[in-house]
Amino acid sequence: MRSYLEHELKPKEVLDEALRVLKPGGSIYVKVPNFATINRAVRGRNWCGFRFPDHLNYFTIESLKKMGESSGYKFDLRNSFTRYTNDNLHCYLTKPAA
């Protein structure tokens, strides 16, 4: 789901369905714009992550983690070192092993 969830009208439903079809221990890779980046705060309306009207959702680490975990995934942030400076969030959402 690289560069997808920010465009999806119902991202929670997509994650729920992906969890249903994943094998236990299976993962999905998610990359979305990082609304909590310092660059967004500095650049304001000129931030590169704003794409009107095709970006329907903007995620922070916390909101993406909450959505993933509420669907039943284990959340694994891959760019934790650059989480405040990277304009994107990179994570794996993993279905727990049976």
Side-chain angles (χ1 to χ4, degrees):
M1 295 195 189
R2 184 181 67 77
S3 301
Y4 170 70
L5 284 182
E6 67 271 22
H7 300 275
E8 175 55 49
L9 182 62
K10 298 179 180 179
K12 173 78 165 73
E13 291 180 17
V14 169
L15 292 181
D16 290 345
E17 181 61 14
L19 185 77
R20 186 186 71 76
V21 300
L22 273 174
K23 293 180 181 179
S27 296
I28 56 174
Y29 169 71
V30 177
K31 174 188 168 256
V32 294
N34 179 5
F35 192 77
T37 186
I38 293 169
N39 194 34
R40 187 207 43 91
V42 170
R43 306 262 314 154
R45 296 174 55 106
N46 294 319
W47 177 52
C48 63
F50 287 133
R51 298 276 193 269
F52 300 110
D54 59 326
H55 282 187
L56 305 176
N57 305 290
Y58 291 93
F59 296 96
T60 63
I61 294 168
E62 294 77 19
S63 67
L64 185 58
K65 180 179 181 182
K66 183 178 178 180
M67 183 182 294
E69 289 178 346
S70 72
S71 290
Y73 293 95
K74 177 184 174 275
F75 178 85
D76 179 20
L77 182 66
R78 301 309 301 169
N79 63 322
S80 59
F81 183 71
T82 61
R83 66 188 175 271
Y84 299 117
T85 58
N86 192 326
D87 285 316
N88 293 291
L89 298 175
H90 302 266
C91 75
Y92 285 102
L93 297 176
T94 303
K95 182 174 182 173

